[in-house]
Amino acid sequence: LCRHGLGQLDRALERYDVAAALLPGDPRPFFRRGTIYGVQGRFAEAEAEFTKALDRDPGLVDGYRNRAVARADQKKYPEAHQDLCDALD
């Protein structure tokens, strides 16, 4: 998280890989990786990471919202709309 905050995104991705390996059921490393990919414009990868986070915690509202943005950036509008509806539920 410190590397991420300092803008050292490649190093942060590496650290999140380690965290995901050590805590496979924790959604946070996947969510954070998704945010980095989103900032980098790598929307398909961001979507995949947010999906992994949501698989681990289906109640992660920010996961649905961020995945909706990643999907909308890929012009997957029906899926993005569904994510926003799921976030409201």
Side-chain angles (χ1 to χ4, degrees), residues 13-84:
L13 286 170
E14 293 171 1
R15 299 293 89 206
Y16 291 139
D17 282 340
V18 172
L22 294 172
L23 304 164
D26 192 322
R28 293 174 297 176
F30 302 99
F31 179 83
R32 298 289 185 183
R33 287 175 58 80
T35 62
I36 290 174
Y37 288 140
V39 167
Q40 292 177 333
R42 298 162 62 180
F43 303 118
E45 291 166 288
E47 177 187 358
E49 293 298 320
F50 293 130
T51 298
K52 291 175 192 174
L54 289 165
D55 288 345
R56 285 152 181 83
D57 182 2
L60 185 64
V61 175
D62 284 338
Y64 290 107
R65 183 178 54 83
N66 284 311
R67 186 172 68 178
V69 171
R71 286 178 166 175
D73 285 329
Q74 297 174 79
K75 302 192 183 338
K76 295 181 176 180
Y77 300 120
E79 294 92 338
H81 179 262
Q82 185 60 52
D83 277 340
L84 294 174

